[in-house]
Amino acid sequence: MIDTVTDNIYAIVTAAIVMIGIARAYYGPEFNEVPWQPLRRVFIPLAHTIAKRSLGEDFYAAYEVSPAEHVSTLNIKPEVVIKDLEEAGYVVEPLAGLKTDWNGNTEVASYARHRGSKPFPGAPEWLRRRQVHVTLFPAPSGGTIVTAHEEYNSWRPDLAEQHYRGVTQDIQKGRLLAASDLGIAIESPPEP
């Protein structure tokens, strides 16, 4: 069975992205109410294992965030940061790789603001070419660690492979855009 999955990985991934995309378009704002984080904690590690086996070592769906992605450590709860992200136009990002930080903590939330060109006139905002991807982690002090990078949009079937391989990912640009969007200062990356 696993060989069938790995032999057809591109078709399966494309079908999954298209089906989730259709659900996103159909349900609109209600799509964000799905408990994506618990679902991602179960399915992303499985997808990571299958992808590594069929697509090679440079493909990832789960990884450790580099301290270089650190934007800031805030003395507020993740729920407050999530509200600020949503007000700045960020949306929940269920297709994102599952991340841990340099402290070994699994992410609390994954949000993206989509930017750039659309694949066709009238396409939804979440199908833009690029995205600023912000991931939140629990801080040892009880606050929230904010990390970010800018990259290809994972919702685009034509860009999904490049997204998951990290092609053109720009950490510094993502940090700057996320800090500006949240109205916070960028801090120096922590020592790992």
Side-chain angles (χ1 to χ4, degrees):
M1 163 117 177
I2 194 78
D3 289 335
T4 302
V5 172
T6 58
D7 291 345
N8 297 296
I9 192 72
Y10 286 108
I12 292 168
V13 168
T14 299
I17 291 171
V18 168
M19 288 184 343
I20 295 171
I22 289 169
R24 184 175 194 162
Y26 180 78
Y27 289 106
E30 293 173 10
F31 180 82
N32 292 333
E33 295 172 16
V34 173
W36 289 113
Q37 199 60 20
L39 291 170
R40 290 177 66 244
R41 286 177 186 251
V42 171
F43 290 107
I44 296 293
L46 177 63
H48 178 75
T49 301
I50 292 169
K52 287 275 193 201
R53 181 172 176 182
S54 59
L55 299 175
E57 287 301 312
D58 64 335
F59 194 91
Y60 63 89
Y63 68 97
E64 183 176 307
V65 170
S66 162
E69 291 189 46
H70 180 256
V71 177
S72 188
T73 300
L74 306 174
N75 291 322
I76 55 177
K77 294 185 180 277
E79 296 78 21
V80 176
V81 183
I82 289 169
K83 185 174 183 257
D84 292 344
L85 285 168
E86 290 172 346
E87 288 174 1
Y90 285 75
V91 292
V92 69
E93 193 53 56
L95 295 181
L98 187 66
K99 299 167 196 68
T100 55
D101 69 7
W102 49 91
N103 298 313
N105 296 310
T106 302
E107 67 183 61
V108 174
S110 182
Y111 275 71
R113 180 175 59 82
H114 301 98
R115 52 195 306 272
S117 62
K118 294 181 180 181
F120 53 88
E125 290 296 309
W126 50 271
L127 282 180
R128 291 187 174 275
R129 185 169 184 82
R130 310 248 344 141
Q131 65 184 22
V132 178
H133 188 176
V134 173
T135 308
L136 307 179
F137 298 92
S141 63
T144 305
I145 295 172
V146 179
T147 67
H149 56 260
E150 197 267 353
E151 64 191 338
Y152 280 127
N153 184 351
S154 60
W155 283 100
R156 296 270 301 263
D158 60 326
L159 300 172
E161 182 175 357
Q162 291 105 319
H163 168 86
Y164 287 107
R165 290 186 186 275
V167 175
T168 76
Q169 186 182 82
D170 188 332
I171 291 171
Q172 189 59 23
K173 185 175 188 176
R175 291 175 71 225
L176 292 168
L177 290 168
S180 175
D181 290 342
L182 289 170
I184 59 176
I186 293 179
E187 297 175 1
S188 298
E191 294 294 321

